[in-house]
């Protein structure tokens, strides 16, 4: 029985194995023992020094007392116990040479190192010059006394009778008091729940494994934009994905899903996990904005209605990173009770407050041209500008170009009508399967690739020219399909007949040719302005380029080239009247002169629109700042910006322009980006000026892109989705790269943290 108990206590305490120090001779043992004592590493504060006179090998009168020391009565433990174990975390077990020998009549006995292994609870105390029981002495000091059952030699006075060490240590190890103090120490060092059952830790490990599988599955479904739930919870994508993963290679997860009443896959748990992931992504974006020493950012807002008719305002932030690369990041959707300028401005202020972004660092704002956003007095931009005058408002450049296209095409009734017929043709192609089959059969019979006929979508800005080209490139096939459709008995036969009559006229071909010459270049400009990295100076350069190109077409030579191109297409297509024949009776002069005036109307209208749409006060302010950068002549524009120091800038600008001549702020940013750190530090004020020019947004296209994701997520089948779930899903779906880089363990720990029940179930994620 004694041997069995000794084995149990050894397994319960995994005492560290000691490394014995070998000596070649007995000479110099005293010095070696002292060295071992000094190098001994321990958590007990009392071992920082050894009292004078306690060197190894010293003969003392106390060591000669023998068994009488071990049999001393316990007495009052509160008075005889030394409190030198209060800060110890493990027994102090120095080299045996550091422990005093027991001097007998004819011999001396020394402490044996193997006793540390047989009795791992032994603790040497220099203050009593003997060994104690680490757990019993510490238990008595923590006010857990057992009265007469305790052994004073191992509690307070110290045991030094090496002759009977094995006998006395074995007896103490099997005593009721020792077992009691060992149990108390175990309860204090580990949670009680873990001591009650050795399987509890394994249960928590299984629970953590399953929760990580659930969180990773939620992340996958959200990334792909799929619905997590179905008609029932078991038919949803999330549950089916977990079931598939479990059946493939994870029986532990399968048992978790089937046996537990709470599997943490409920809609409430899904929403909580999605919100944690979305908040983590948004916090990361806000942290990137605040990371530079000089914080500057702009806000982009646009609104739309979702499938259920709820007004959703998309908020994006633009900032410039350390490498002078602009970024535009989607932050989230906000549902407003009223979409007035005051309501939108209040929402912007609330977003910045939640993200801990100072209003003083706001340098730009971009909206569309709606009155509630762009209003001069009560619009959101005006209200925000009252709080921060340096938040320059820029009317979205892509919106401006789209409005220019609409105004220009409406200036000529002929071109307006031609585009309307193209739109109706696209609708007929998309809604009538019979007409689509007829058109496809005609194209297939000629062994040429088919180009889809598209309507002119009012919300997609870059499809007009492609729709025009699709008709002009397949004009003869379009006429053949319309003629065949007009002869059918379908309900859309009358529509096809009317379109066939319009497309059979030569002026329709001319109108589409003239429209394509204008719309094509404007749509190229629109595409350029939709880029995230586009800057105000780049926008101005692109606008000037397209503007001058269109004005270059306002001459007889350019017009006649387009007229001849349309005439050639009319002559090569059967069933189309010539342009001259169609108008000779109507006009006194030639048709070529009449349509020249129509074409020039469009160009003149576009020129006027360019002047109106891009003649904004904020753009003038930015042009003045860029002029300072390029010319080096300082003006009063820099006084308004507290981050610009006139004295330093007046010194740095001439040096920068002399060494690195640039023609735009984009080139200046490229030069600064390629500089060594030491050289770049010479032009810190030049860099601040470049950042101001780059941080102001050009368009609100990033918010428009989030609307595309909104329509993919909130469909007719998911129209009842709550705002919190929708917003979290949208953030995760838009920021796919950031979602992939999330740490699953941190997400799980944040999910478990607020609940004591979850902590008890899952433990801690490392």
């Amino acid at each position: 029985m004694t041997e069995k108990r000794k084995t149990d206590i050894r397994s319960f305490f995994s005492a560290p194995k000691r490394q014995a120090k070998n000596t070649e001779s007995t000479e110099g043992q005293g010095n070696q023992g002292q060295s071992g004592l000094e190098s001994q590493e321990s958590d007990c504060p009392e071992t920082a020094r050894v009292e004078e006179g306690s060197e190894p090998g010293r003969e003392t009168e106390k060591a000669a007392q023998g068994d009488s020391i071990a049999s001393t009565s316990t007495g009052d433990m509160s008075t005889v116990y030394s409190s030198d174990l209060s800060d110890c975390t493990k027994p102090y077990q120095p080299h045996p040479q550091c422990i005093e020998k027991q001097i007998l009549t004819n011999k001396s006995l020394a402490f044996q190192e193997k006793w540390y292994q047989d009795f791992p609870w032994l603790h040497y105390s220099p203050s009593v010059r003997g060994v104690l029981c680490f757990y019993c002495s510490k238990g008595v000091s923590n006010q857990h006394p057992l009265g007469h059952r305790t052994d004073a030699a191992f509690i307070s006075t110290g045991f030094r009778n090496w002759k009977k060490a094995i006998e006395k240590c074995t007896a103490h190890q099997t005593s009721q008091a020792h077992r009691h103090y060992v149990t108390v120490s175990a309860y204090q060092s580990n949670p009680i729940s873990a001591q009650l059952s050795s399987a509890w830790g394994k249960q928590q490990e299984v629970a953590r494994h399953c929760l990580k599988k659930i969180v990773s599955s939620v992340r996958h479904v959200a990334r792909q934009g799929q619905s997590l739930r179905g008609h029932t919870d078991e038919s949803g994508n999330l549950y089916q994905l977990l079931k598939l993963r479990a059946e493939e290679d994870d029986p532990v997860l399968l048992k978790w899903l089937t046996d537990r009443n709470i599997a943490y896959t409920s809609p409430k748990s899904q929403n909580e996990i999605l919100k944690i992931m979305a908040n983590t992504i948004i916090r990361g974006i806000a942290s990137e904005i605040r990371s530079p020493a000089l914080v500057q950012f702009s806000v982009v807002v646009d609104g739309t209605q979702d499938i259920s008719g709820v007004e959703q305002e998309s908020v994006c932030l633009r900032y410039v990173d350390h490498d002078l690369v602009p970024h535009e990041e989607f932050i989230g959707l906000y549902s407003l009770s009223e979409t007035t300028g005051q309501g939108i401005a209040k929402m912007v202020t609330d977003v910045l407050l939640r993200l801990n972004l100072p209003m003083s660092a706001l340098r730009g704002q971009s909206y569309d041209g709606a009155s509630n956003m762009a209003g001069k007095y009560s619009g959101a931009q005006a209200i925000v500008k009252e709080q921060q005058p340096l938040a320059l408002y820029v009317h979205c450049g892509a919106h401006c170009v789209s409005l220019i296209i609409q105004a220009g095409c409406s200036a000529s009734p002929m071109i307006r009508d031609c585009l309307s017929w193209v739109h109706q043709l696209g609708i007929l192609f998309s809604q009538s399967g019979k007409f689509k089959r007829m058109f496809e059969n005609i194209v297939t019979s000629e062994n040429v690739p088919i180009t889809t006929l598209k309507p002119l979508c009012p919300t997609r800005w870059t499809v007009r020219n492609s729709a025009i080209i699709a008709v002009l490139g397949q004009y003869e096939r379009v006429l053949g399909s319309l003629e065949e459709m007009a002869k059918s008995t379908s309900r859309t036969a009358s529509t096809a007949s009317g379109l066939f009559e319009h497309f059979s006229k030569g002026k329709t071909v001319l109108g589409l040719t003239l429209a394509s010459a204008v719309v094509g270049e404007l749509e190229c400009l629109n595409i350029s302005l939709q880029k995230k990295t586009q800057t105000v100076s780049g926008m101005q350069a692109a606008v000037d380029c397209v503007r001058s190109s269109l004005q270059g077409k306002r001459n007889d030579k350019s017009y006649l080239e387009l007229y001849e191109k349309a005439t050639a297409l009319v002559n090569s297509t059967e069933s189309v009247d010539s342009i001259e024949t169609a108008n000779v009776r109507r006009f006194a002069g030639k048709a070529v002169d009449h349509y020249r005036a129509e074409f020039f109307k469009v160009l003149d209208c576009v020129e006027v629109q360019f002047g109106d749409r891009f003649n904004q006060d904020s753009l003038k302010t930015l042009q003045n700042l860029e002029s300072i950068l390029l010319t080096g002549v300082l003006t009063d524009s820099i006084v308004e910006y507290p981050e610009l120091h006139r004295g330093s800038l007046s010194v740095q600008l001439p040096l920068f322009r002399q060494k690195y001549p640039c023609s735009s702020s984009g080139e200046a940013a490229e030069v600064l980006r390629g500089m060594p750190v030491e050289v770049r530090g010479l032009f810190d004020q030049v860099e601040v000026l470049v950042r101001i020019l780059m941080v102001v947004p050009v368009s609100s296209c990033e918010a428009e892109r989030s609307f595309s994701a909104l329509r993919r997520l909130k469909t007719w089948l998911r129209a009842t989705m709550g705002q919190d779930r929708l917003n979290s899903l949208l953030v995760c779906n838009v920021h796919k790269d950031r979602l992939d880089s999330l740490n699953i363990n941190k997400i799980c720990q944040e999910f478990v943290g607020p609940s004591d029940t979850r902590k008890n179930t899952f433990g801690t994620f490392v």
Side-chain angles (χ1 to χ4, degrees), residues 371-669:
S371 59
N372 61 340
M373 293 185 176
K376 185 176 181 180
Y377 300 104
S378 59
Q381 65 89 14
I383 298 174
V384 172
K385 214 167 184 180
E386 289 179 359
Q387 303 179 49
Q388 174 52 277
L390 297 180
L392 302 178
Y393 163 65
V394 176
H395 185 190
C396 173
H399 277 91
C400 290
V401 176
S402 180
L403 294 173
I404 291 173
I405 295 175
Q406 293 180 10
C409 294
S410 299
S412 170
M414 180 196 70
I415 294 179
R416 178 198 61 201
D417 294 342
C418 292
L419 293 178
S420 176
W421 298 330
V422 170
H423 178 65
Q424 295 178 28
L425 177 64
I427 293 176
L428 178 64
F429 183 85
S430 61
Q431 294 182 354
S432 175
K434 187 174 183 178
F435 176 74
K436 182 183 294 186
R437 286 193 300 272
M438 290 179 180
F439 181 76
E440 291 176 351
N441 291 336
I442 292 176
V443 174
T444 304
S445 63
E446 298 180 5
N447 295 324
V448 293
I450 184 173
T451 302
T452 303
L453 302 178
K454 305 174 183 178
L456 304 180
C457 180
T459 59
R460 298 186 65 186
W461 303 324
T462 58
V463 297
R464 297 180 179 87
N465 192 50
S466 60
I468 297 172
I469 293 176
V471 174
L472 292 176
Q474 308 173 106
Y475 207 84
E476 187 172 0
R477 305 181 192 99
V478 169
L479 284 176
S481 302
L482 290 173
E483 185 178 11
E484 186 177 350
M485 187 68 181
K487 296 177 181 179
S488 67
T489 58
S490 174
R491 291 181 300 175
T492 56
S494 59
T495 303
S497 177
L499 290 175
F500 177 76
E501 181 181 355
H502 290 304
F503 281 102
S504 298
K505 298 178 180 179
K507 71 173 186 178
T508 303
V509 178
L510 177 61
L512 294 179
T513 303
L514 297 178
S516 178
V518 178
V519 173
E521 293 192 10
L522 290 175
E523 288 192 354
C524 289
L525 174 61
N526 201 317
I527 294 173
S528 174
L529 299 185
Q530 293 181 33
K531 296 179 180 179
K532 295 181 181 181
T533 57
Q534 185 64 269
T535 61
V536 174
S537 61
M539 179 184 70
Q540 290 288 356
V543 167
D544 293 341
C545 179
V546 174
R547 189 175 181 179
S548 61
S549 175
L550 290 177
Q551 281 300 302
K553 293 182 179 182
R554 197 185 184 285
N555 54 67
D556 292 342
K557 180 180 178 181
S558 298
Y559 168 72
L560 290 177
E561 289 178 356
L562 296 173
Y563 188 87
E564 292 175 359
K565 180 180 178 181
T567 302
L569 180 58
V570 169
N571 295 334
S572 63
T573 306
E574 299 179 359
S575 304
V576 179
D577 298 336
S578 65
I579 301 174
E580 294 287 347
T581 304
N583 297 277
V584 68
R585 297 178 181 178
R586 184 174 178 182
F587 306 109
K590 293 183 178 180
V592 62
D593 297 328
H594 171 74
Y595 292 121
R596 179 193 292 109
E598 294 293 312
F599 182 56
F600 287 173
K601 281 183 184 179
V602 175
L603 295 178
D604 292 341
C605 180
V606 169
E607 175 63 21
V608 172
Q609 287 290 317
F610 267 122
D612 293 341
R613 299 293 179 184
F614 290 96
N615 189 23
Q616 305 174 27
D617 294 337
S618 58
L619 296 182
K620 294 179 181 178
T621 301
L622 294 172
Q623 287 175 353
N624 292 335
L625 290 177
E626 188 173 29
S627 176
I628 294 174
L629 174 67
L630 301 180
T631 62
V633 179
L634 301 183
T635 63
D636 294 337
S637 301
I638 65 173
V639 177
E640 301 177 357
Y641 291 89
E643 60 265 37
L644 290 176
H645 303 287
R646 191 183 188 98
S648 300
L649 195 60
S650 62
V651 175
Q652 295 179 14
L653 270 178
L655 178 61
F656 182 81
R657 293 182 61 254
Q658 179 183 1
K659 297 290 293 183
Y660 311 100
C662 301
S663 59
S664 66
S665 59
E667 291 185 13

Side-chain angles (χ1 to χ4, degrees), residues 105-383:
T105 304
N106 55 354
K107 60 180 178 179
S108 62
L109 301 178
F111 184 89
Q112 302 298 313
E113 187 174 9
K114 67 177 183 177
W115 294 345
Y116 286 143
Q117 300 177 5
D118 296 338
F119 311 106
W121 42 266
L122 289 175
H123 167 82
Y124 177 72
S125 175
S127 61
V128 298
R129 298 180 180 178
V131 295
L132 303 173
C133 176
F134 178 77
Y135 301 102
C136 293
S137 58
K138 196 167 186 178
V140 172
S141 68
N142 292 333
Q143 298 181 356
H144 297 289
L146 287 181
H148 66 280
R149 300 180 185 179
T150 56
D151 189 350
F154 290 102
I155 298 299
S156 58
T157 59
F159 180 80
R160 295 179 290 275
N161 188 5
W162 312 137
K163 181 179 180 181
K164 296 184 178 182
I166 297 178
E167 176 185 350
K168 295 297 182 179
C169 290
T170 302
H172 176 78
Q173 184 170 268
T174 58
S175 65
Q176 181 182 358
H178 179 79
R179 292 197 299 268
H180 168 73
Y181 288 126
V182 167
T183 304
V184 170
S185 177
Y187 284 164
Q188 292 176 346
S189 60
N190 296 306
I192 296 178
S193 58
Q195 294 295 321
L196 293 177
S197 174
S198 60
W200 189 255
K202 294 182 179 180
Q203 293 178 5
Q204 288 185 337
E205 184 178 355
V206 170
R208 288 193 295 269
H209 168 78
C210 295
L211 183 60
K212 287 194 289 186
K213 293 288 186 180
I214 293 172
V215 172
S216 62
S217 298
V218 170
R219 180 177 66 174
H220 170 77
V221 177
R223 185 189 190 281
Q224 299 304 111
Q226 301 172 345
S227 59
L228 279 75
R229 301 170 58 191
H231 186 66
T232 61
D233 291 341
E234 288 74 15
S235 62
N237 289 327
L238 175 62
Y239 186 85
Q240 291 300 318
L241 175 60
L242 288 170
K243 185 178 178 181
L244 176 64
R245 298 179 70 180
E247 291 176 347
E248 289 289 335
D249 56 356
D250 200 338
V252 174
L253 178 60
L254 183 62
K255 186 175 185 301
W256 173 275
L257 295 174
T258 56
D259 293 352
R260 291 186 59 86
N261 294 328
I262 303 178
Y264 293 94
T265 58
S266 65
K268 184 177 180 181
S269 298
Q270 295 172 17
N271 291 345
E272 191 171 349
I273 293 172
L274 288 170
K275 189 172 183 179
I276 291 173
M277 291 191 293
N279 289 343
T280 303
I281 292 173
I282 294 174
R283 286 197 299 267
I285 295 173
S287 178
E288 291 179 5
I289 297 176
R290 295 191 301 266
S291 60
L294 178 62
V295 180
Q296 293 174 324
F297 61 91
S298 298
V299 64
V300 178
V301 180
D302 203 353
T304 188
Q305 283 190 351
D306 59 24
I307 200 67
S308 61
V310 178
E311 186 70 23
Q312 303 284 359
E313 299 293 333
S314 174
V315 181
C316 304
L317 296 178
R318 179 183 175 96
Y319 65 97
V320 180
D321 62 14
H322 180 266
D323 294 328
L324 297 178
V325 177
H327 297 267
E328 291 183 1
E329 302 291 351
F330 171 72
I331 297 300
L333 291 177
Y334 293 83
S335 179
L336 302 181
S337 58
E338 56 178 6
T339 57
T340 61
Q342 186 69 35
I344 296 174
K346 185 178 179 181
M347 178 202 65
V348 171
T349 305
D350 180 69
V351 170
L352 300 183
L353 182 63
R354 290 175 183 270
L355 298 181
N356 195 21
L357 296 175
M359 179 66 75
S360 59
L362 184 63
R363 290 294 177 266
Q365 46 183 335
S366 178
Y367 315 103
D368 58 18
S371 59
N372 61 340
M373 293 185 176
K376 185 176 181 180
Y377 300 104
S378 59
Q381 65 89 14
I383 298 174

